[in-house]
Amino acid sequence: MGSPTPSTYLFTSSPGWRIPTSSQTFIQPSKFSFENPLYLKITETPLLKSTNHYLLRSPRPATRGTLNDEGQSTITSTTPLVVQEEVELLNKEVEESVKVLKNAAKTRKVAAEEILAALSVIEKAKLDPSQFLETLGGSKSPGNTWMLIFTAEKRLERGKYFPITAVQRFDAAAKRIENGVYLGSLGCLTFEGRISWNTRILAFIFECIWIKFGPFKPFEINFGGKDDREPSNKDPFFIWFYIDEEIAVARGKSGGTAFWVRCKRIAGYSFLSMF
């Protein structure tokens, strides 16, 4: 069986990211039991704990050497004050935008227009991504788990809260990804695959799918063929704009933007956001 096309994967198109066909994949159920309920515990993290870590820094002042009237050398700064003021203003705008998203994750009552404006500010800020991967996927397996909160169309023209429980787990150490859609007692659809990371781009390839209906045991469908190549920008990918210990913001290959809230699995199928 041939490899699935990127456009059919969950969370990679907008609006309404689609569920893969039977020839595609999602989570790594071998890492946990399907027979025991899954719960996520709220992570005790102060609001904006990690926000400042990723903010832009004021540029280092440029210097220029000159001679005074007595022939002595002096050094003066040539960095325009306006540049520093612009950086400080952008940092403040990013902080306020992060607050908006965290409030939206907590209450699901923030207007879509406010969320779209906050996402726009964060995308344009081009924050330092050097610690994004470790924050997203942890330093050791099984990595970190994130619940999808809000999805926006291309160019951030419209968006909405995601209506069902959709959870992703990123494992930076093992370079693995799990995606899942959970429908309570009705069952779940989970996919498993591998990832690669380049600066701020996380590409992924799904390898198998697990399906569970009601109380019955899950069954696995492996994708045809063996493909051990490294995921690349020819595959589905996310471009990450912001990640701290509480929320993450990224754009998919098709141009849709979304944000997630961090959650922690305990056992079973139920998930609880950190708020």
Side-chain angles (χ1 to χ4, degrees):
M1 185 181 297
S3 299
T5 59
S7 62
T8 56
Y9 290 121
L10 183 65
F11 308 153
T12 60
S13 63
S14 177
W17 291 348
R18 293 172 289 181
I19 295 178
T21 65
S22 60
S23 64
Q24 296 141 357
T25 12
F26 218 62
I27 285 192
Q28 187 176 3
S30 59
K31 299 292 181 66
F32 60 91
S33 172
F34 277 95
E35 299 180 0
N36 296 322
L38 267 185
Y39 293 93
L40 293 178
K41 183 179 180 181
I42 293 178
T43 303
E44 300 296 338
T45 329
L47 187 65
L48 296 174
K49 174 181 178 181
S50 304
T51 302
N52 292 333
H53 186 75
Y54 300 112
L55 297 186
L56 299 177
R57 305 302 179 191
S58 297
R60 184 184 299 276
T63 57
R64 179 176 59 194
T66 60
L67 293 177
N68 59 20
D69 294 338
E70 298 177 356
Q72 296 175 330
S73 175
T74 61
I75 297 177
T76 58
S77 172
T78 61
T79 301
L81 181 60
V82 66
V83 174
Q84 299 182 35
E85 291 176 345
E86 288 176 354
V87 170
E88 292 173 359
L89 177 60
L90 181 56
N91 285 345
K92 183 174 179 60
E93 290 177 347
V94 170
E95 286 185 358
E96 292 302 318
S97 296
V98 169
K99 288 180 181 180
V100 168
L101 298 186
K102 291 185 177 182
N103 188 35
K106 180 178 180 179
T107 66
R108 286 182 174 260
K109 294 181 179 180
V110 176
E113 292 76 12
E114 293 183 50
I115 297 175
L116 294 173
L119 292 174
S120 179
V121 168
I122 290 172
E123 283 194 10
K124 293 176 180 178
K126 301 186 184 303
L127 304 177
D128 175 18
S130 59
Q131 296 192 38
F132 279 8
L133 179 59
E134 183 174 348
T135 308
L136 180 72
S139 58
K140 60 182 180 180
S141 297
N144 296 329
T145 311
W146 302 81
M147 182 185 296
L148 184 62
I149 299 296
F150 188 93
T151 61
E153 296 180 8
K154 192 174 183 179
R155 294 186 293 274
L156 299 174
E157 294 176 348
R158 290 185 297 178
K160 61 182 179 180
Y161 290 96
F162 205 70
I164 59 177
T165 301
V167 175
Q168 293 184 315
R169 182 176 64 84
F170 299 96
D171 186 342
K175 295 185 178 181
R176 305 294 294 178
I177 182 175
E178 296 182 48
N179 287 356
V181 174
Y182 298 86
L183 304 174
S185 60
L186 296 178
C188 68
L189 183 67
T190 61
F191 298 76
E192 174 191 350
R194 60 188 184 278
I195 64 173
S196 67
W197 180 269
N198 182 9
T199 307
R200 65 171 72 241
I201 300 177
L202 182 147
F204 55 97
I205 298 174
F206 288 126
E207 299 169 329
C208 67
I209 179 173
W210 288 77
I211 303 174
K212 186 179 189 306
F213 295 106
F216 302 103
K217 292 184 177 180
F219 61 92
E220 178 184 8
I221 301 175
N222 287 302
F223 295 164
K226 186 174 180 60
D227 183 3
D228 294 329
R229 65 183 176 82
E230 185 86 351
S232 69
N233 58 8
K234 295 181 180 180
D235 302 298
F237 60 75
F238 292 117
I239 303 173
W240 297 92
F241 297 101
Y242 183 86
I243 306 172
D244 68 15
E245 295 295 337
E246 297 178 349
I247 65 168
V249 177
R251 183 196 303 151
K253 184 175 183 179
S254 65
T257 300
F259 88 88
W260 293 255
V261 65
R262 175 82 176 272
C263 47
K264 184 178 180 181
R265 180 176 13 234
I266 298 177
Y269 287 112
S270 296
F271 293 87
L272 181 67
S273 79
M274 63 185 300
F275 294 101

